[in-house]
Amino acid sequence: MKTRMKALILSLSLIVVAGITNIYAETVTIGMRTNPTALDPHFSKDGGTQMISMQFFETLYTADDKMTMQPMLAESVKVIDKLTYEFKLRKGVKFHDGSDFTAEDVVFSLKRARDIKNSAASFASSVKPVKEMKIIDPYTLQITTKKPSPLLVKEVSRIYIVSHKAAANASTEDFNSGKAAVGTGSYKLVKWTSGEQIVMKRFEDYWGDKPHFEDVIIKNISNDASRVAGLLSGSLDIIDQVPPSDMEMLKNDQKITLWPVSTARLIYLHMDHARDKSPFITDDQGNQLAKNPFKDKRVRLALSKLINRDALISRTLYGLGEPSGQMVPEGVFGYNPDLKPMEYDPKGALALLAEAGYPEGFGVTVHGPNNRYLYDAQVIQTVAQFLARGKIKVKVETMPKNVYFKRATAREFSLFLVGYGTSSGDGMSGLSLVLATYNKETKMGSNNRGRYSNPEYDAIINKAMIEVNEPMREKMLQDAAVIAFGDIGIIPMYFQASAWATRSGIQYNSRRDERTLARNIVPAM
Amino acid sequence: MSESLATEHTATYHETDDTLSRQIVRGVLNSKEATFWLTVGLIILSIALLAPWIAPQDPYDLMVLDIMDSRMPPGTKNFDESLTYWLGTDGQGRDMLSAIMYGLRTSISVGVMAGVIALILGMILGLTGSYFGGWVDALIMRTVDLMLGFPTILVALILLSVLGQGVDKVIMALVAVQWANYARVVRSAALVEREKEYIEAATCLGLGHWRILFKHLLPNCLPPVIVIGTVQVAHAISAEATLSFLGLGVPITEPSLGLLIANGYQLLLSGMYWISFFPGVVLLLTIFSINIVGDRIREILNPRLLQEGEN
């Protein structure tokens, strides 16, 4: 009897305790569009795999929610000379198996990422500038490069650090089974069912702020409608990549909250700068024009003034965008706060066109993809509508992306819509690939399908490529942007946005890089 | 003797031909249901023909569209209240009523054009095959079998992705997938007819092949062709809608009914039903009216059906 009573009291008190701590033991279920190819963080740098690696593994530096680089496993880095970097590593960091994180793990991980086998998209190129790694003491690491590499810190920070003990001789399968998947991240792996779900648990010995939810299940659901249905039915707590067409419905649902963010993917109009006679330029009667109006800066400026960016975003994109006047959004290295989005000014545009000798406009076909970017075909139609306000006779042609990009790269178009996403948190890539003078050998300007070319701009970019002093490099990128966007080398329109949706009661701290991290899920305030 | 026989037969079919059209008109008007749907069909046809004059807006003129008026519910007035969007607007700010009128024009003209061209092509090949027989027939009919073996939409999709986009390309693709149906029907009808005495007589008279084919054989093969013609035009209209819905048909700035439906279907869940709903209803009415009238014509031309009722 007595023991029974004891048992009753014990179980009752357990229930009470469980009731109190219930909030901390909550499980959160994520509906994620992408699917990892492996749990080996060095196996593939595709987005879906990295999104999962980031839950369990950490890097030396990391991009924060606004894509600004912040120290993570490294505490600081010192440039010793043009070729040598010294990393001070964080002390007191533990791996999921309880062992300590040291410089040896960094060296092991960088080498493993370089030598990984059977990878379709390996990180080898990120480790390529590294010539030598020297462990000074367990928390100090010196890396020497082959030649000045200003992006070295960012590149080696793409490599996830694995435990050199747990992952010694481990194959990708060992990671997939969970045996070798030992990182320093705030969550540890419980079980992965390929193509279906990932179960993970909070790592209680995590060195930084511990995430809120103890148990997390990530369900990989690539179908948009299924994800939304899962959220509405309550089987999912949060979904990523909300389909824009469902925005309106979810916005009006009291039980759902949306967490939008504008990404670093710039959607812009590219113009044929180089040729005197451009294939899709006609006079207002439809005859091919001998002169290419886009060679005239006034015409390019007029086109930019004709784009009503706010209307485009609010009406065509359901609010999922942020007007832009340059390559990268605020927070990304190289952002220039002085470059504002062009004001909508149809009167000014008409005046400029008249001044340039096109008072009655000209004819042009706008080309674009219809399955690449958010609402791309709709956006192109709206752009055509805007250009028509400038008396330009516009035709629209859209096509599937596999046909479109081949033709765009072959320079078959005169005016066309493209996007460029800066994923590294550094503005260098966009400026050098989209706006630098095209050069087949150096790969400069390889996305420069309009062939904008300005020697003054190229000179700054070439200098920035080898500048290791960060403040000076930032100034160079900002100066370069002023030149290219002052010339209207391209017409920047907006940064494409994406959104998460949660059931009310929880909040997602949106990330500009569109990554869905379990640690960013917190209770709503 | 044989000459007079031939003349007599020529006279006979002219007479039958004459009564054929009269017979059809009378037969359709005799049925209340068919008359009703014929009227609906004619109204739709006249709207399509008169669209440029009666539509409140030219939905293909980018100058008059305003993105700020996009996705307005039915009955909203535009900015300066000069225009009421009775059926709402689509995602680009097009007046849905005007867009439907113009879209109908595209849909019907594509359907009819494709139907007529396929009919002519199929008829010529079917007649030729049945009349000459032998390897000509075998070649034509094996090609027909091959064409009918593939799903219509699949063939059209492949053709369009090779040919590119545009109204003319859509017509070409639809002709390519439809001519085989006509060829088969015409051939089977002609196979029966060519065994009849009047053809034999015409052959005995030494008339040329082509003259026999088109002046004697063809008119007598018409009844089944008329029936399948109505079905195929309706089919062409829905096929065009399907292709446009899949994004492979008409240019996006000049939407047909299928493209209008495609533009709005993702918004149905968000409560913006009008972008897909109204074009869908009009498409349904168009195809339904053609099919009902076509069915009635089939009954008239096949008296057995009239007696036994629909099977």
Side-chain angles (χ1 to χ4, degrees):
Chain A
M1 193 64 199
K2 233 183 174 180
T3 44
R4 263 206 188 168
M5 201 62 193
K6 252 188 192 168
L8 189 68
I9 291 168
L10 192 68
S11 51
L12 270 177
S13 58
L14 266 178
I15 291 169
V16 172
V17 170
I20 294 165
T21 54
N22 189 26
I23 179 164
Y24 301 105
E26 252 180 318
T27 303
V28 72
T29 310
I30 306 173
M32 192 180 270
R33 186 172 72 172
T34 52
N35 197 15
T37 51
L39 289 201
D40 182 343
H42 301 145
F43 183 68
S44 169
K45 60 178 173 189
D46 70 90
T49 306
Q50 287 211 59
M51 202 127 98
I52 296 303
S53 300
M54 287 176 82
Q55 321 281 347
F56 310 121
F57 300 97
E58 294 184 309
T59 50
L60 292 176
Y61 274 71
T62 191
D64 65 9
D65 298 352
K66 279 197 153 322
M67 289 182 83
T68 311
M69 293 306 266
Q70 304 288 356
M72 199 178 211
L73 288 178
E75 265 178 338
S76 63
V77 63
K78 204 163 77 196
V79 184
I80 293 183
D81 58 54
K82 269 188 180 265
L83 297 174
T84 317
Y85 293 78
E86 189 175 280
F87 291 85
K88 282 277 177 216
L89 303 181
R90 196 175 291 280
K91 286 174 186 149
V93 176
K94 292 232 182 284
F95 278 103
H96 297 160
D97 62 1
S99 59
D100 285 319
F101 158 77
T102 63
E104 222 171 313
D105 299 304
V106 179
V107 174
F108 174 80
S109 301
L110 260 55
K111 281 187 177 154
R112 188 172 183 276
R114 188 190 59 200
D115 301 332
I116 190 94
K117 288 195 180 62
N118 304 326
S119 167
S122 88
F123 290 93
S125 62
S126 294
V127 198
K128 217 176 137 198
V130 177
K131 188 180 163 204
E132 212 188 336
M133 290 180 277
K134 206 160 80 193
I135 298 174
I136 309 288
D137 65 59
Y139 297 101
T140 311
L141 176 72
Q142 266 189 14
I143 294 182
T144 14
T145 57
K146 293 164 190 160
K147 55 180 186 205
S149 315
L151 291 177
L152 179 90
V153 177
K154 273 171 184 139
E155 288 297 343
V156 297
S157 289
R158 299 187 65 165
I159 312 292
Y160 298 94
I161 306 301
V162 299
S163 154
H164 79 280
K165 285 186 205 115
N169 300 318
S171 65
T172 295
E173 284 71 36
D174 293 329
F175 276 89
N176 294 347
S177 71
K179 201 177 97 190
V182 176
T184 57
S186 50
Y187 280 96
K188 54 187 184 185
L189 175 70
V190 176
K191 190 174 172 12
W192 177 41
T193 317
S194 177
E196 214 174 292
Q197 65 173 24
I198 294 145
V199 183
M200 46 197 211
K201 208 169 190 64
R202 182 169 61 199
F203 177 41
E204 299 300 340
D205 290 329
Y206 184 61
W207 59 270
D209 295 334
K210 283 192 212 34
H212 177 81
F213 290 98
E214 187 179 339
D215 292 290
V216 178
I217 300 169
I218 296 175
K219 295 213 181 264
N220 304 110
I221 306 168
S222 59
N223 184 293
D224 286 345
S226 314
R227 241 176 14 260
V228 172
L231 180 71
L232 291 174
S233 73
S235 64
L236 300 172
D237 298 308
I238 169 169
I239 60 170
D240 62 5
Q241 306 286 336
V242 173
S245 50
D246 286 333
M247 279 296 167
E248 198 73 23
M249 184 222 355
L250 293 174
K251 211 186 275 173
N252 295 330
D253 193 323
Q254 297 297 313
K255 297 194 295 291
I256 305 291
T257 319
L258 287 173
W259 306 96
V261 70
S262 63
T263 68
R265 184 182 298 285
L266 174 73
I267 305 294
Y268 61 92
L269 290 176
H270 223 143
M271 298 148 290
D272 182 0
H273 284 264
R275 288 171 289 191
D276 287 326
K277 214 172 160 180
S278 199
F280 285 96
I281 305 267
T282 61
D283 61 15
D284 47 358
Q285 305 300 322
N287 308 309
Q288 171 109 35
L289 210 62
K291 222 167 87 190
N292 177 359
F294 295 138
K295 293 188 94 168
D296 189 328
K297 186 182 150 187
R298 288 170 297 190
V299 176
R300 303 197 297 264
L301 185 61
L303 254 59
S304 191
K305 281 177 185 286
L306 283 169
I307 308 288
N308 186 346
R309 289 166 177 79
D310 294 323
L312 179 71
I313 291 163
S314 69
R315 304 306 308 174
T316 312
L317 289 162
Y318 301 82
L320 283 182
E322 181 189 323
S324 161
Q326 59 189 305
M327 211 70 222
V328 291
E330 196 178 348
V332 174
F333 191 85
Y335 167 80
N336 188 335
D338 299 332
L339 282 174
K340 300 267 185 275
M342 185 72 70
E343 294 285 334
Y344 173 56
D345 177 17
K347 280 206 190 94
L350 280 170
L352 275 167
L353 282 170
E355 196 189 309
Y358 303 96
E360 289 310 310
F362 53 90
V364 67
T365 306
V366 194
H367 286 88
N370 57 20
N371 58 353
R372 178 65 187 89
Y373 311 113
L374 195 68
Y375 269 93
D376 38 17
Q378 302 293 329
V379 168
I380 296 163
Q381 279 188 73
T382 309
V383 165
Q385 217 181 89
F386 292 149
L387 297 187
R389 299 277 189 278
K391 295 189 185 169
I392 298 171
K393 318 286 173 293
V394 200
K395 281 195 201 126
V396 172
E397 203 180 321
T398 62
M399 57 201 80
K401 61 184 174 195
N402 47 353
V403 182
Y404 172 75
F405 283 104
K406 223 175 280 164
R407 292 185 62 189
T409 306
R411 299 171 68 207
E412 285 183 31
F413 306 140
S414 296
L415 179 62
F416 50 107
L417 179 133
V418 208
Y420 183 87
T422 301
S423 57
S424 59
D426 195 295
M428 186 72 208
S429 61
L431 291 175
S432 62
L433 292 177
V434 177
L435 286 158
T437 304
Y438 178 77
N439 184 324
K440 212 173 165 184
E441 275 80 53
T442 61
K443 296 267 192 282
M444 290 286 272
S446 57
N447 289 34
N448 187 350
R449 301 181 175 102
R451 297 293 189 268
Y452 164 74
S453 175
N454 183 335
E456 195 193 342
Y457 172 83
D458 292 340
I460 303 183
I461 290 294
N462 283 329
K463 246 166 61 193
M465 295 281 262
I466 50 165
E467 179 56 63
V468 290
N469 178 316
E470 290 292 87
M472 275 173 75
R473 197 166 70 88
E474 182 164 28
K475 180 84 180 47
M476 287 174 183
L477 295 187
Q478 289 172 341
D479 291 348
V482 170
I483 298 177
F485 290 97
D487 279 348
I488 326 281
I490 56 173
I491 298 175
M493 294 200 293
Y494 59 91
F495 295 110
Q496 182 178 306
S498 83
W500 290 262
T502 61
R503 62 170 172 81
S504 50
I506 59 176
Q507 172 180 339
Y508 186 75
N509 293 328
S510 309
R511 288 179 61 93
R512 191 155 248 167
D513 57 9
E514 296 181 77
R515 297 258 156 87
T516 306
L517 294 188
R519 58 170 301 117
N520 280 34
I521 307 172
V522 293
M525 279 176 286
Chain B
M1 179 61 202
S2 61
E3 194 176 9
S4 72
L5 194 87
T7 340
E8 205 182 299
H9 261 281
T10 318
T12 322
Y13 78 67
H14 271 308
E15 208 175 293
T16 4
D17 195 16
D18 210 346
T19 46
L20 182 69
S21 52
R22 253 188 250 158
Q23 200 185 337
I24 291 175
V25 173
R26 208 181 319 123
V28 170
L29 294 179
N30 270 343
S31 153
K32 272 189 191 147
E33 198 196 0
T35 315
F36 174 74
W37 286 105
L38 181 69
T39 322
V40 172
L42 288 176
I43 292 173
I44 291 176
L45 187 68
S46 35
I47 290 176
L49 287 174
L50 298 174
W53 294 278
I54 57 175
Q57 186 192 63
D58 178 0
Y60 298 167
D61 183 0
L62 291 168
M63 275 299 279
V64 304
L65 302 186
D66 190 345
I67 188 68
M68 295 316 284
D69 279 354
S70 62
R71 296 189 296 275
M72 294 285 184
T76 319
K77 282 187 162 53
N78 75 344
F79 179 66
D80 55 3
E81 306 217 330
S82 59
L83 183 68
T84 308
Y85 301 120
W86 292 112
L87 299 183
T89 60
D90 75 352
Q92 293 293 329
R94 273 185 210 100
D95 173 37
M96 281 311 292
L97 181 63
S98 314
I100 289 173
M101 288 176 169
Y102 273 76
L104 200 56
R105 203 177 156 80
T106 315
S107 293
I108 290 182
S109 58
V110 167
V112 171
M113 290 270 275
V116 168
I117 299 174
L119 180 125
I120 294 172
L121 190 70
M123 212 150 62
I124 293 174
L125 289 168
L127 281 176
T128 319
S130 71
Y131 185 76
F132 291 105
W135 68 268
V136 181
D137 188 32
L139 180 72
I140 292 172
M141 289 324 288
R142 290 304 80 77
T143 318
V144 166
D145 288 341
L146 195 71
M147 290 304 296
L148 293 177
F150 286 109
T152 317
I153 288 300
L154 183 70
V155 176
L157 278 178
I158 294 171
L159 281 173
L160 277 181
S161 45
V162 175
L163 295 172
Q165 277 169 305
V167 174
D168 50 335
K169 314 276 184 2
V170 175
I171 294 178
M172 275 159 75
L174 290 178
V175 168
V177 294
Q178 289 207 323
W179 70 269
N181 290 302
Y182 290 105
R184 198 156 71 163
V185 170
V186 171
R187 176 180 174 268
S188 52
L191 273 183
V192 178
E193 291 296 325
R194 66 168 288 216
E195 299 302 325
K196 293 195 175 158
E197 289 91 345
Y198 70 93
I199 298 290
E200 205 179 312
T203 320
C204 291
L205 277 177
L207 300 179
H209 287 317
W210 299 111
R211 185 162 169 196
I212 297 176
L213 266 179
F214 292 107
K215 288 209 74 173
H216 298 257
L217 203 49
L218 175 62
N220 287 295
C221 297
L222 273 183
V225 173
I226 295 172
V227 174
I228 193 168
T230 56
V231 176
Q232 289 292 319
V233 167
H235 186 70
I237 292 175
S238 72
E240 184 278 325
T242 312
L243 290 172
S244 297
F245 184 86
L246 294 173
L248 271 167
V250 296
I252 50 172
T253 44
E254 297 175 13
S256 66
L257 292 177
L259 191 54
L260 286 174
I261 296 171
N263 286 342
Y265 87 102
Q266 285 177 314
L267 298 168
L268 280 176
L269 269 183
S270 305
M272 287 177 264
Y273 64 91
W274 59 91
I275 304 176
S276 275
F277 180 73
F278 294 121
V281 169
V282 173
L283 183 65
L284 192 80
L285 289 178
T286 312
I287 293 173
F288 201 69
S289 58
I290 298 177
N291 278 342
I292 293 281
V293 176
D295 252 14
R296 180 67 192 160
I297 296 176
R298 189 164 62 99
E299 285 170 11
I300 298 160
L301 296 178
N302 193 345
R304 210 166 31 146
L305 281 179
L306 272 184
Q307 283 154 19
E308 291 168 8
E310 189 66 49
N311 49 358

